[in-house]
């Protein structure tokens, strides 16, 4: 059986990991944008070697365009049902 302390510890761990993930994603996007302006070549510094390569662009579904076409043709937008999900909302307060 889980105690309140177990639930609080897991909720705090989850909240902290989610905050780190957001920060890491922002940092990743920053570095990706900087590399996007780098010409393809080999680079060496500080004992590391990096090769920047280019790859042909892939295609992605234009979701808003697809929804508009479905709407124009009176077709329903297909949706999937989400499973029940739980989310921990952490409220910080001083211990009693």
């Amino acid at each position: 059986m889980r105690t309140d302390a177990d639930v609080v510890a897991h909720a705090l761990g989850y909240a902290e990991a989610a905050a780190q993930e957001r920060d890491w994603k922002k940092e990743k996007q920053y570095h990706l944008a900087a590399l996007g302006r780098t010409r393809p070549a080999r680079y060496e510094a500080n004992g590391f070697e990096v090769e920047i390569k280019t790859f042909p662009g892939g295609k992605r579904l234009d979701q808003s365009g697809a929804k508009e076409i479905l709407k124009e043709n009176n077709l329903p937008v297909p949706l999937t049902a989400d499973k029940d999900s739980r989310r921990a909302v952490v409220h910080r307060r001083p211990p009693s």
Side-chain angles (χ1 to χ4, degrees):
M1 184 170 152
R2 288 191 177 136
T3 65
D4 283 3
D6 293 334
V7 173
V8 168
H10 288 297
L12 287 172
Y14 179 84
E16 289 171 11
Q20 287 177 343
E21 181 181 29
R22 281 190 303 274
D23 291 343
W24 291 340
K25 283 184 178 180
K26 286 180 187 175
E27 184 174 350
K28 181 180 160 186
Q29 290 301 319
Y30 166 77
H31 292 296
L32 183 61
L35 289 172
R37 295 186 297 265
T38 304
R39 70 177 178 80
R42 286 183 188 262
Y43 297 86
E44 289 185 46
N46 303 322
F48 293 94
E49 180 181 300
V50 173
E51 183 177 2
I52 302 297
K53 297 181 176 183
T54 58
F55 297 95
K59 293 184 179 182
R60 292 188 321 158
L61 174 65
D62 176 0
Q63 292 186 11
S64 61
K67 287 179 186 177
E68 190 61 35
I69 290 170
L70 290 170
K71 185 178 175 182
E72 288 171 0
N73 290 287
N74 295 321
L75 295 170
V77 175
L79 301 173
T80 58
D82 286 337
K83 294 181 180 178
D84 288 343
S85 63
R86 287 183 171 55
R87 183 168 57 107
V89 178
V90 177
H91 302 278
R92 298 191 188 277
R93 63 178 182 182
S96 304

